[in-house]
Amino acid sequence: MRTVRARRRRLGVATAAAGLLATLLTAGPAAATPDPGDAPTVSGSVSAHQKAEATAAIRSGEIPGVDEVVHSPNITHLANIPKDVLPGTNSDLAFQGRYAFAGNYDGFRIFDIRNPAKPRTVAQVLCPGSQNDISVSGDLLFLSTDSSRSDDSCSSTTQPATEKNSWEGVKVFDISDIRNPRYVAAVETACGSHTHTLVPERRNVYVYVSSYAPNAAFPDCQPPHDGISVIKVPRKAPQKAKLVGFPVLFPGEGPDGGGNPGAPTNPGVTKTTGCHDLTVLPGKDLAAGACMGDGILFSIADPERPKVIDRVQDNVNFAFWHSATFNQKADKVVFTDELGGGGAPTCNAEVGPNRGADGIYDIKGRGDKRKLVFRSYFKIDRHQADTENCVAHNGSLIPVKGKDLMVQAWYQGGISVWDFTDSRKPKEIAYFERGPLSTTQLVTGGSWSAYYYNGHIYSNDMAKGFDVLKLDDRRTDPAKRVRMDELNVQTQPDYFEDFDRD
């Protein structure tokens, strides 16, 4: 293992910029997922010059070698658990007590993390269906299926979305016996479930389902599709889970609804046909939506009838609004732009610091008059090779009072810890990454999600497996005293209220 300081480099400058940028600007989601597809990895060709440049950068020490681990001095790599019986792409993470729940396109895996340096597998469940976005609440576990399947079983096979009897939606498992999860319910939703977000209550769990990319040829995914599906799951009778509504977030006339029209009106921007991901703050009845071409702030005071408060667009630097994170005071939101759909090399001088980045917005005003006000962009400055997919992806807060700190995944750009307390001047304070999976072709991989939970950072690497990191820094050390019983990052807790109550 080699530790290096932050690297600033100019890989990719000599590449034909116009060709790459044209590809990124015109590429929209070809199907319901701009994220990597069902296959464990996706490969793409690169030019001879790009191959030579990547090899030269490794030799000069500008980038790590293939699979080499590097990190800042305040990070310790405690553990890596490779994939086992589930060979698909690793996806999102959730936490409960001493367990971490790791999604995979082929199902999910449960780790015992009581000793973070030595995670142990306690269960692996085969249940294919991309992308298997995962959440837990009490004795219930939820999985998103966003690929057209022959039925709702865990033995289903792929089937065209043009067939009426195809199935996509949300699956529910009973995890009261952690070693033997039991599949108890399924709810079909329009256009599937790319991601989902829980709004937990005492008797019921509401599930907000994000999906998009309707098509007139898909019987269960018809345009317009400018809203979210809402599922109600009774805790004591999860088998009675059902769809209770489809609130429209972008009302408008015509077949395309009222969201961002995308290209050609706004070149390089994906048309809004639903949402990609939502984050809720149940304690404040707030939610933020990353909805393809739009970012929104809305009220969830009535969880079955969310109400949009404000809506913003960035038709200059944001191609695909992917995810959202509130700060603890709920006076800021970090939105991410998944330029290139997670499968392109966008962390280079050619693309620059403002695209494929985070956008930091302050929330100004009160009540229904609150507004999202743009302040700045944040992007890692460690340029990656053109054989590495890299763009802003999933992250979480690091709970320190009086500070706005976040850990975030960047695919093959690794993991970044950064400070946005001053929303106009964000800065990185720690990082971890691996070298490229290949120097001869673009191979999709890297950290899908990187989250802080009970004193450690956990990452689900799409290709390399489950990683555990320890962060030792005076700026983040106070977070080690905050202990949570459960964490679904898209259902943000009030860390300090919950901690103080304990």
Side-chain angles (χ1 to χ4, degrees), residues 423-496:
S423 55
R424 297 180 187 271
K425 296 180 179 180
K427 58 184 179 181
E428 184 175 76
I429 62 175
Y431 74 90
F432 168 92
E433 69 168 291
R434 290 182 169 88
L437 290 168
S438 172
T439 58
T440 60
Q441 59 182 340
L442 173 60
V443 180
T444 301
S447 179
W448 177 291
S449 298
Y451 298 147
Y452 187 92
Y453 177 69
N454 289 355
H456 292 82
I457 293 170
Y458 298 90
S459 166
N460 214 16
D461 188 292
M462 296 164 64
K464 293 298 181 181
F466 183 71
D467 287 303
V468 185
L469 310 178
K470 185 180 179 183
L471 176 63
D472 291 301
D473 190 290
R474 60 178 176 78
R475 294 163 289 190
T476 60
D477 284 347
K480 295 177 182 179
R481 298 193 294 270
V482 179
R483 313 298 290 185
M484 306 300 297
D485 293 327
E486 188 172 273
L487 179 63
N488 300 293
V489 168
Q490 288 74 33
T491 306
Q492 282 189 219
D494 186 329
Y495 289 94
F496 304 113

Side-chain angles (χ1 to χ4, degrees), residues 17-246:
L20 174 63
L21 290 178
T23 300
L24 295 177
L25 288 172
T26 59
T33 59
D35 298 300
D38 288 305
T41 57
V42 178
S43 300
S45 61
V46 296
S47 69
H49 174 78
Q50 289 170 317
K51 295 177 186 178
E53 192 175 54
T55 300
I58 290 173
R59 287 175 179 168
S60 68
E62 290 182 87
I63 66 172
V66 173
D67 288 342
E68 181 183 5
V69 171
V70 298
H71 51 78
S72 54
N74 51 358
I75 290 278
T76 302
H77 188 201
L78 295 181
N80 170 260
I81 308 297
K83 294 180 186 178
D84 193 3
V85 300
L86 303 177
T89 299
N90 283 332
S91 58
D92 211 4
L93 293 168
F95 304 90
Q96 187 180 85
R98 72 186 203 212
Y99 299 105
F101 302 81
N104 178 286
Y105 277 45
D106 286 327
F108 63 94
R109 189 172 182 180
I110 304 175
F111 294 98
D112 185 332
I113 55 172
R114 177 169 40 185
N115 181 351
K118 295 182 179 180
R120 296 185 301 107
T121 300
V122 297
Q124 298 189 72
V125 176
L126 178 65
C127 196
S130 71
Q131 54 188 13
N132 276 341
D133 191 51
I134 192 167
S135 297
V136 293
S137 183
D139 288 337
L140 301 178
L141 179 147
F142 304 84
L143 280 184
S144 281
T145 299
D146 193 35
S147 58
S148 185
R149 313 296 299 179
S150 57
D151 55 51
D152 63 5
S153 73
C154 283
S155 58
S156 67
T157 58
T158 58
Q159 181 169 289
T162 52
E163 297 187 22
K164 175 61 180 173
N165 66 346
S166 295
W167 186 91
E168 300 179 65
V170 173
K171 297 167 182 169
V172 185
F173 290 78
D174 184 323
I175 54 171
S176 53
D177 181 351
I178 200 72
R179 297 181 180 276
N180 295 288
R182 184 169 57 90
Y183 185 14
V184 295
V187 179
E188 186 172 13
T189 54
C191 301
S193 175
H194 193 69
T195 65
H196 68 265
T197 302
L198 304 186
V199 183
E201 295 186 341
R202 181 171 297 179
R203 294 185 177 183
N204 304 298
V205 180
Y206 286 95
V207 185
Y208 287 171
V209 176
S210 296
S211 57
Y212 53 94
N215 189 309
F218 299 163
D220 299 320
C221 185
Q222 293 283 302
H225 183 77
D226 279 347
I228 58 174
S229 299
V230 180
I231 297 171
K232 183 178 181 179
V233 185
R235 290 189 184 276
K236 293 185 177 180
Q239 71 278 6
K240 294 182 179 180
K242 64 179 181 179
L243 188 69
V244 295
F246 186 84

